[in-house]
Amino acid sequence: MISEALKRIKPSATILMSQKARELKEKGHEVISLSAGEPDFAPPEHILKAAIEAIKKGANKYTAVDGIVPLKQAILEKFSRDNHIHYDLSEVMVSTGGKQVLYNAFVATLNPEDEVIIPAPYWVSYPQMVNLVGGRSVFINTTAESGFKITPKELEKAITQKTKWLILNSPSNPTGAVYSKEELQAISKVLLKYTHVHIMTDDIYEHIVFDDSPFATIAGIEPSLKDRVLTVNGVSKAYAMTGWRVGYCGGNSELIKAMTKVQSQSTSNVTAVSQYATIAALQGDQEFLIDNVALFRKRRDLVVSMLNNIPGLHCGVPSGAFYIYADCQGVIGKKTPKGSVITSDEDFVMGLLESEAVGLVFGAAFGLSPYFRLSYAESEENLMLACQKIQTFCNSLS
Ligand code: PLP
């Protein structure tokens, strides 16, 4: 019954861990789930108002597959204003989340055995999507010492005749690593040499950066690469609109046309109401982003200091997004009070969920062990409680 293609892929580990936490909650346990990647607050009022207005005005019909023109116009303006990339209407489209943008792009471009270079650790869905459409993931393993970032040399070594895409995700899920403008310029130099390589840059955490160096994206800093770059973004994270399902992208018109064709035979347009709300998100006041970043920074600092006080765990200070990717090498080989040995980051995360009802995601799902990912898009109170519980669990190990 089930296709060979589907048998090749795994379900999303982040969704799986969130589901496990939900099941425990339903059984009456007080669970703190730090496994999902979504802000714990609502979108700003003006976005909600725009959606209600759209409903009242009758936004009930199908729209153009690639998005309504006023939204595409708002996207052009956003790319130009924030990223210095100048697209026209034929070079942007709207999809059901950044997730569908990426999936459309792979379906539209990958032939069997085409290679996609993915820096590891990576967002869980990249290799699974590549696998599903018959492509091949080529990983560049990064380390905490390199700030979880690839170097131009490592990139050059990974490129072959079959390379179709390089994926860049900055700020990164799961590590929070952010590439500086200079680092991207150095990577661009390699990419300029290999004209058959395209770049998918996943900028979904663009607005959540903590350092003074501003966010940079490759088509903005190296305009001569623009036609080979698909710039992916969305409103899920910065605007707290995960459930509204709106992602968008800019790329060359031939690629956008092909991706629109894919979408026309799968989901058609993004929900009309969500499209109107997204116009308000992109064109409205952006000041609240500053407050949100300050809030995330405070939470980041709290969790980093608490985790680094727990014997067996260690983490650096991430520069963006709302995740901490913590090293748990120090607990591997230890025994739980029930007598089972922790042999992997998955054992650690599962043991923690069972003993202390705290949900994290194990590093193996992101391609680098032994680590775990903690999402600090949660209240300070819950973060503090969760860190105390992680400490209790680690102290119970022998
Ligand atoms: N890219 C990255 C790196 C993510 O972390 C996520 C969501 O977790 C997405 C893309 C997709 O987000 P959405 O489909 O909600 O726009």
mmCIF file of all heavy atoms in Angstrom, residues 106 109-115 133-136 164:
data_model
loop_
_atom_site.group_PDB
_atom_site.id
_atom_site.type_symbol
_atom_site.label_atom_id
_atom_site.label_comp_id
_atom_site.label_asym_id
_atom_site.label_seq_id
_atom_site.Cartn_x
_atom_site.Cartn_y
_atom_site.Cartn_z
ATOM 1 N N PHE A 106 11.919 21.862 -4.329
ATOM 2 C CA PHE A 106 12.556 20.555 -4.560
ATOM 3 C C PHE A 106 11.801 19.769 -5.633
ATOM 4 O O PHE A 106 12.404 19.176 -6.526
ATOM 5 C CB PHE A 106 12.619 19.745 -3.256
ATOM 6 C CG PHE A 106 13.621 20.281 -2.266
ATOM 7 C CD1 PHE A 106 13.290 20.424 -0.927
ATOM 8 C CD2 PHE A 106 14.908 20.636 -2.666
ATOM 9 C CE1 PHE A 106 14.209 20.915 -0.012
ATOM 10 C CE2 PHE A 106 15.836 21.134 -1.750
ATOM 11 C CZ PHE A 106 15.482 21.273 -0.424
ATOM 12 N N THR A 109 12.551 21.051 -9.111
ATOM 13 C CA THR A 109 13.916 21.096 -9.669
ATOM 14 C C THR A 109 14.733 19.810 -9.558
ATOM 15 O O THR A 109 15.688 19.648 -10.301
ATOM 16 C CB THR A 109 14.748 22.200 -8.960
ATOM 17 O OG1 THR A 109 14.804 21.919 -7.551
ATOM 18 C CG2 THR A 109 14.155 23.575 -9.185
ATOM 19 N N LEU A 110 14.402 18.926 -8.607
ATOM 20 C CA LEU A 110 15.314 17.797 -8.384
ATOM 21 C C LEU A 110 15.019 16.611 -9.292
ATOM 22 O O LEU A 110 13.886 16.129 -9.369
ATOM 23 C CB LEU A 110 15.248 17.332 -6.926
ATOM 24 C CG LEU A 110 15.871 18.248 -5.869
ATOM 25 C CD1 LEU A 110 15.827 17.587 -4.495
ATOM 26 C CD2 LEU A 110 17.308 18.622 -6.227
ATOM 27 N N ASN A 111 16.039 16.141 -9.975
ATOM 28 C CA ASN A 111 15.979 14.888 -10.712
ATOM 29 C C ASN A 111 16.629 13.820 -9.836
ATOM 30 O O ASN A 111 17.402 14.144 -8.924
ATOM 31 C CB ASN A 111 16.743 15.013 -12.031
ATOM 32 C CG ASN A 111 16.021 15.946 -12.986
ATOM 33 O OD1 ASN A 111 14.812 15.817 -13.190
ATOM 34 N ND2 ASN A 111 16.744 16.901 -13.553
ATOM 35 N N PRO A 112 16.338 12.514 -10.106
ATOM 36 C CA PRO A 112 16.939 11.468 -9.279
ATOM 37 C C PRO A 112 18.457 11.648 -9.205
ATOM 38 O O PRO A 112 19.103 11.928 -10.222
ATOM 39 C CB PRO A 112 16.572 10.171 -10.003
ATOM 40 C CG PRO A 112 15.331 10.523 -10.761
ATOM 41 C CD PRO A 112 15.450 11.965 -11.130
ATOM 42 N N GLU A 113 18.984 11.509 -8.007
ATOM 43 C CA GLU A 113 20.427 11.582 -7.729
ATOM 44 C C GLU A 113 20.997 13.004 -7.734
ATOM 45 O O GLU A 113 22.183 13.189 -7.486
ATOM 46 C CB GLU A 113 21.246 10.677 -8.679
ATOM 47 C CG GLU A 113 20.898 9.202 -8.584
ATOM 48 C CD GLU A 113 21.039 8.643 -7.167
ATOM 49 O OE1 GLU A 113 22.081 8.878 -6.532
ATOM 50 O OE2 GLU A 113 20.071 8.013 -6.678
ATOM 51 N N ASP A 114 20.182 14.003 -8.026
ATOM 52 C CA ASP A 114 20.688 15.372 -7.878
ATOM 53 C C ASP A 114 21.061 15.590 -6.416
ATOM 54 O O ASP A 114 20.364 15.110 -5.511
ATOM 55 C CB ASP A 114 19.595 16.407 -8.247
ATOM 56 C CG ASP A 114 19.520 16.652 -9.732
ATOM 57 O OD1 ASP A 114 20.389 16.144 -10.464
ATOM 58 O OD2 ASP A 114 18.579 17.356 -10.156
ATOM 59 N N GLU A 115 22.129 16.328 -6.195
ATOM 60 C CA GLU A 115 22.614 16.497 -4.821
ATOM 61 C C GLU A 115 22.232 17.859 -4.229
ATOM 62 O O GLU A 115 22.258 18.885 -4.917
ATOM 63 C CB GLU A 115 24.138 16.341 -4.796
ATOM 64 C CG GLU A 115 24.550 14.905 -5.107
ATOM 65 C CD GLU A 115 26.045 14.693 -5.207
ATOM 66 O OE1 GLU A 115 26.811 15.680 -5.096
ATOM 67 O OE2 GLU A 115 26.453 13.536 -5.427
ATOM 68 N N VAL A 133 11.602 13.349 -2.765
ATOM 69 C CA VAL A 133 11.505 13.595 -4.204
ATOM 70 C C VAL A 133 12.653 12.946 -4.976
ATOM 71 O O VAL A 133 12.818 13.197 -6.170
ATOM 72 C CB VAL A 133 11.384 15.104 -4.537
ATOM 73 C CG1 VAL A 133 10.181 15.715 -3.847
ATOM 74 C CG2 VAL A 133 12.624 15.861 -4.181
ATOM 75 N N GLY A 134 13.426 12.104 -4.306
ATOM 76 C CA GLY A 134 14.434 11.291 -5.017
ATOM 77 C C GLY A 134 15.798 11.933 -5.154
ATOM 78 O O GLY A 134 16.660 11.404 -5.857
ATOM 79 N N GLY A 135 16.021 13.067 -4.495
ATOM 80 C CA GLY A 135 17.356 13.676 -4.530
ATOM 81 C C GLY A 135 18.256 13.053 -3.469
ATOM 82 O O GLY A 135 17.853 12.128 -2.757
ATOM 83 N N ARG A 136 19.501 13.560 -3.403
ATOM 84 C CA ARG A 136 20.462 13.006 -2.431
ATOM 85 C C ARG A 136 21.022 14.148 -1.586
ATOM 86 O O ARG A 136 21.501 15.151 -2.137
ATOM 87 C CB ARG A 136 21.604 12.316 -3.203
ATOM 88 C CG ARG A 136 22.099 11.032 -2.553
ATOM 89 C CD ARG A 136 23.017 10.271 -3.475
ATOM 90 N NE ARG A 136 24.286 10.961 -3.712
ATOM 91 C CZ ARG A 136 25.276 11.032 -2.819
ATOM 92 N NH1 ARG A 136 25.159 10.457 -1.634
ATOM 93 N NH2 ARG A 136 26.384 11.677 -3.107
ATOM 94 N N LYS A 164 22.912 20.428 -7.065
ATOM 95 C CA LYS A 164 21.901 21.343 -7.608
ATOM 96 C C LYS A 164 21.664 22.515 -6.660
ATOM 97 O O LYS A 164 21.508 23.642 -7.086
ATOM 98 C CB LYS A 164 20.592 20.595 -7.836
ATOM 99 C CG LYS A 164 19.566 21.436 -8.548
ATOM 100 C CD LYS A 164 18.731 20.681 -9.505
ATOM 101 C CE LYS A 164 18.922 20.943 -10.956
ATOM 102 N NZ LYS A 164 18.144 20.020 -11.779
#
